[in-house]
């Protein structure tokens, strides 16, 4: 309506301008018309009284003296979209406690539809706003073209109208910004209502499934109780029909229980006393047997020491050396005798030869712990046997050392190569690395040997001649290559043997000595 009024106004102005040009032309022809021309050409300036108080695009109409005046504002003013959204949100927050789940879901659906409708209206407003910008642009272009053809007071009036159009464009832009903000809030509310509607539907379905499950459970319970009542009724009828027989059976059971209570405790107590006496006798006989075995062993050892010209020296524990020496002057030199070392579970049990242990000195290894070590000495056609007083004991601190090394992926030991392939070998210190899948001997970047655990690998304590037997270790990585390694201490040597055998066993390989 505003643009129709403005077009009427400018059409009237164009007619006045044409009249003015016609009068000027006539005045040039007829000088008598000068006074009339002056009266007609005088036009009152256009009023620039424009109000921007409202939030919507202002409407105008032509008043007296060709002035633009505001249309009377309507008394009833519709609330904004933001007010409607705030009101609906408040109503929901006030009523959510007393609404059922189904009612809440319906309310969310209605609000979602309203939000969608508001979005559609916002799209229509965008189209209307775009049309308004286009019309303002056309109007401004028309005014610019008119201003170029006018001069004087009319030109100033046109410039005032152009400024009014520009103000209207600015106001329209501001309204568009507010409309975009309201549209964003409406979209946000629509997404929130949509999600809430879906959650409400899920909650309704869940509550419905729970209710159905409870109904089915109650129905099954009722059926079960009905069956139990029927069964109880049938049992009561049967018991009434067999009343005398049941009473007789109850009396017989009670009599049997009374007899059992009278006789069974006495029998059980007698059996317990008898078992206690038998256990006591077995313990006494076992202790007496152990005592006799100890006395027999002491007597045999005394008789053997009297008849055997050789004795066994050294601590009988892991980390020490057992050495054979002559105990009488009549004994032959030990270096000229033939010697073989054995290990056995006890003195009287079957023993097994230790391959390669043919010298007068033998250093026990971890495999000898809890076993008895014996040595047969063949001198001048006579055979003599020396035995340790008891099983070989483990070394103190070895278990904790092995446990600390097991926490590592690889354990490194400093060694010296004493022999290589049976030949004496003078070398610097090397690193003997025991891993979970292989063993490596290296010095810096140079690797002497590196092999995985296999059946061809051998590893044990030294059994031949060595400078320090308790610190020496025999290692055969593969056939055709052997090493005799000397460790820094007896504990390091024994820990390396225990670790390598443990890792090899995990790989289904048993590490033993030569010919074991």
């Amino acid at each position: 309506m505003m643009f129709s009024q403005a077009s009427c106004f400018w059409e009237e102005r164009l007619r006045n301008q044409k009249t003015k040009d016609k009068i000027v032309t006539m005045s040039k022809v007829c000088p008598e018309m000068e006074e009339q021309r002056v009266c007609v050409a005088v036009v009152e300036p256009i009023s620039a009284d424009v109000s921007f108080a409202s939030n919507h695009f202002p409407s105008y109409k032509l008043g007296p003296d060709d002035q633009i005046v505001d249309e009377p504002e309507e008394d009833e003013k519709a609330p904004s979209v933001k007010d409607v959204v705030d009101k609906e949100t408040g109503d929901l927050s006030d009523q959510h406690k007393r609404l059922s789940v189904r009612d809440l879901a319906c309310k969310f659906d209605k609000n979602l539809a309203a939000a969608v409708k508001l979005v559609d209206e916002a799209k229509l407003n965008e189209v209307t706003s775009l049309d308004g910008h286009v019309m303002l642009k056309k109007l401004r272009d028309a005014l610019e073209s008119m201003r170029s053809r006018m001069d004087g007071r009319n030109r100033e009036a046109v410039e005032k109208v152009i400024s009014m159009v520009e103000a209207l464009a600015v106001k329209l832009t501001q309204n568009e910004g507010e409309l975009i903000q309201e549209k964003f809030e409406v979209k946000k509310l629509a997404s929130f209502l949509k999600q809430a509607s879906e959650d409400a539907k899920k909650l309704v379905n869940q509550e419905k499934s729970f209710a159905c499950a409870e109904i089915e459970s109650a129905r099954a319970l009722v059926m079960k109780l009905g069956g139990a009542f029927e069964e109880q009724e049938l049992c009561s009828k049967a018991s009434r029909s067999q009343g005398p027989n049941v009473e007789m059976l109850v009396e017989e059971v009670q009599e049997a229980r009374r007899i059992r209570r009278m006789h069974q405790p006495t029998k059980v107590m007698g059996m317990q006393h008898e078992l206690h006496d038998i256990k006591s006798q077995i313990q006494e006989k076992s202790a007496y047997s152990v005592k006799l075995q100890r006395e027999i062993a002491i007597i045999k050892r005394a008789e053997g020491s009297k008849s055997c010209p050789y004795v066994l020296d050294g601590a009988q524990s892991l980390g020490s050396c057992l050495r054979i020496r002559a105990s009488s002057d009549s004994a032959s030199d030990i270096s000229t005798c033939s010697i073989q070392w054995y290990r056995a579970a006890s003195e009287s049990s079957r023993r097994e030869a230790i391959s390669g242990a043919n010298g007068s000195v033998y250093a026990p290894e971890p495999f000898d712990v809890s076993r008895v070590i014996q040595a047969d000495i063949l001198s001048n056609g006579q055979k003599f046997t020396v035995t340790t007083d008891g099983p070989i004991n483990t070394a103190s601190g070895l278990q904790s050392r092995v446990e600390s090394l097991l926490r590592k992926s690889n354990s490194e030991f400093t060694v010296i190569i004493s022999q290589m392939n049976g030949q004496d070998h003078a070398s610097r210190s090397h690193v003997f690395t025991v891993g979970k899948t292989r063993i490596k001997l290296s010095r810096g970047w140079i690797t002497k040997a590196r092999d995985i655990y296999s059946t061809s690998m051998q590893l044990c304590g030294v059994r031949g001649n060595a400078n320090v037997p308790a610190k020496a270790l025999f290692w055969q990585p593969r056939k055709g290559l052997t090493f005799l390694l000397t460790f820094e201490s007896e504990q390091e040597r024994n820990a390396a043997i225990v670790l390598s055998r443990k890792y090899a066993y995990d790989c289904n390989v048993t590490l033993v000595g030569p010919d074991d």
Side-chain angles (χ1 to χ4, degrees):
M1 182 175 64
M2 178 198 70
F3 290 106
S4 61
Q5 295 173 356
S7 59
C8 295
F9 167 75
W10 289 111
E11 288 177 359
E12 184 68 22
R13 294 292 297 171
L14 288 173
R15 285 196 297 270
N16 295 334
Q17 184 67 27
K18 289 180 181 180
T19 305
K20 173 185 172 184
D21 295 338
K22 187 176 180 180
I23 293 172
V24 170
T25 305
M26 292 175 63
S27 63
K28 292 181 180 179
V29 178
C30 184
E32 292 80 10
M33 298 292 293
E34 181 65 24
E35 183 179 359
Q36 183 180 359
R37 182 188 67 81
V38 173
C39 295
V40 175
V42 175
V43 181
E44 292 295 329
I46 300 172
S47 175
D49 188 9
V50 182
S51 175
F52 298 101
S54 62
N55 292 328
H56 56 85
F57 199 91
S59 300
Y60 301 93
K61 70 174 182 178
L62 291 175
D65 299 331
D66 295 332
Q67 292 184 356
I68 299 176
V69 296
D70 295 340
E71 286 187 352
E73 297 182 355
E74 297 179 357
D75 296 335
E76 296 181 357
K77 184 178 180 182
S80 64
V81 178
K82 186 175 181 181
D83 296 336
V84 174
V85 172
D86 294 338
K87 185 176 182 302
E88 293 294 333
T89 305
D91 294 340
L92 285 177
S93 62
D94 293 338
Q95 297 178 4
H96 78 281
K97 293 185 179 180
R98 58 187 178 88
L99 288 177
S100 64
V101 176
R102 191 180 302 276
D103 295 337
L104 188 61
C106 295
K107 190 70 175 177
F108 280 140
D109 292 337
K110 291 180 181 179
N111 290 333
L112 181 61
V116 172
K117 186 176 180 181
L118 289 176
V119 171
D120 296 337
E121 292 179 358
K123 291 181 179 179
L124 293 176
N125 291 334
E126 287 182 359
V127 175
T128 305
S129 176
L130 182 59
D131 294 340
H133 276 290
V134 172
M135 294 182 68
L136 284 176
K137 181 66 169 58
K138 291 181 178 180
L139 180 60
R140 191 177 184 281
D141 293 340
L143 292 174
E144 289 288 343
S145 62
M146 290 180 62
R147 184 179 63 176
S148 61
R149 295 196 301 268
M150 292 185 178
D151 54 358
R153 296 178 63 186
N154 293 334
R155 185 183 183 87
E156 292 178 359
V158 172
E159 289 179 354
K160 289 182 180 180
V161 173
I162 291 174
S163 63
M164 291 168 54
V165 172
E166 291 178 352
L168 290 176
V170 171
K171 187 63 177 179
L172 181 61
T173 304
Q174 293 177 357
N175 293 337
E176 285 181 354
E178 295 178 358
L179 183 62
I180 292 172
Q181 182 66 25
E182 292 178 357
K183 179 182 176 183
F184 174 74
E185 294 178 358
V186 168
K187 287 184 178 180
K188 185 176 179 181
L189 179 61
S191 61
F192 169 75
L193 293 174
K194 184 176 180 181
Q195 183 65 30
S197 178
E198 293 177 357
D199 294 342
K201 290 180 180 178
K202 290 180 181 179
L203 187 59
V204 168
N205 295 331
Q206 186 177 3
E207 293 294 335
K208 183 178 179 180
S209 62
F210 287 164
C212 292
E214 291 179 358
I215 291 171
E216 292 295 332
S217 177
R219 185 177 299 169
L221 182 60
V222 169
M223 296 292 292
K224 186 176 180 180
L225 290 175
F229 287 145
E230 291 179 359
E231 184 178 358
Q232 185 177 5
E233 187 176 357
L234 292 175
C235 291
S236 62
K237 290 181 180 179
S239 62
R240 284 195 298 270
S241 62
Q242 299 179 359
N245 296 331
V246 174
E247 292 178 358
M248 290 176 62
L249 289 175
V250 171
E251 291 178 359
E252 290 179 0
V253 170
Q254 291 178 354
E255 183 66 19
R257 289 179 177 176
R258 185 179 65 80
I259 295 171
R260 184 179 179 183
R261 284 196 300 270
M262 289 176 62
H263 297 281
Q264 189 174 6
T266 305
K267 185 178 180 180
V268 172
M269 289 177 65
M271 293 176 66
Q272 289 179 352
H273 288 301
E274 186 177 356
L275 288 174
H276 182 70
D277 294 339
I278 292 173
K279 288 181 180 179
S280 300
Q281 292 176 8
I282 292 173
Q283 290 178 358
E284 290 177 359
K285 290 181 179 180
S286 299
Y288 185 68
S289 176
V290 171
K291 183 178 180 181
L292 289 177
Q293 289 179 0
R294 288 179 180 177
E295 291 178 356
I296 291 170
I298 292 172
I299 292 171
K300 286 183 178 180
R301 191 175 293 119
E303 291 177 354
S305 62
K306 290 180 181 179
S307 59
C308 182
Y310 301 97
V311 294
L312 198 60
D313 289 341
Q316 299 175 6
S317 62
L318 194 62
S320 62
C321 290
L322 300 177
R323 194 179 302 273
I324 301 173
R325 67 174 180 83
S327 61
S328 63
D329 296 336
S330 60
S332 302
D333 188 4
I334 194 67
S335 60
T336 61
C337 299
S338 178
I339 302 173
Q340 178 61 53
W341 293 84
Y342 299 87
R343 64 169 65 96
S346 62
E347 294 181 6
S348 60
S349 63
R350 184 179 178 181
R351 60 185 185 173
E352 60 180 14
I354 303 173
S355 61
N358 302 320
S360 60
V361 178
Y362 176 73
E365 61 173 270
F367 195 69
D368 298 325
V369 175
S370 301
R371 297 191 179 189
V372 175
I373 302 299
Q374 297 178 351
D376 287 349
I377 305 166
L378 186 61
S379 175
N380 297 327
Q382 294 182 350
K383 183 179 180 180
F384 305 98
T385 302
V386 291
T387 309
T388 57
D389 296 336
I392 299 297
N393 299 321
T394 185
S396 61
L398 178 61
Q399 185 66 25
S400 60
R401 174 60 175 165
V402 172
E403 290 177 356
S404 63
L405 293 175
L406 285 173
R407 300 188 187 98
K408 304 177 182 178
S409 58
N410 294 316
S411 301
E412 297 182 352
F413 304 91
T414 303
V415 298
I416 296 175
I417 302 176
S418 301
Q419 292 182 7
M420 183 174 178
N421 293 330
Q423 302 294 328
D424 292 340
H425 184 80
S427 68
R428 300 178 182 176
S429 60
H430 288 66
V431 177
F432 185 71
T433 305
V434 179
K436 294 185 178 181
T437 57
R438 66 179 64 192
I439 298 177
K440 182 175 72 172
L441 179 63
S442 62
R443 181 176 179 273
W445 296 99
I446 302 173
T447 300
K448 291 285 186 180
R450 181 175 60 187
D451 292 85
I452 62 174
Y453 297 109
S454 61
T455 56
S456 62
M457 182 180 290
Q458 297 178 359
L459 189 142
C460 63
V462 68
R463 297 174 181 179
N465 295 326
N467 295 330
V468 188
K471 298 181 181 180
L473 177 145
F474 173 79
W475 180 43
Q476 176 182 305
R478 55 187 178 275
K479 292 182 179 180
L481 181 62
T482 59
F483 294 98
L484 188 63
L485 307 176
T486 303
F487 287 73
E488 293 181 339
S489 63
E490 294 84 357
Q491 188 184 64
E492 295 292 299
R493 172 253 201 181
N494 295 325
I497 294 174
V498 173
L499 279 178
S500 58
R501 287 179 175 171
K502 168 70 171 55
Y503 292 147
Y505 183 77
D506 295 340
C507 298
N508 297 324
V509 176
T510 303
L511 286 183
V512 293
D515 301 327
D516 284 348

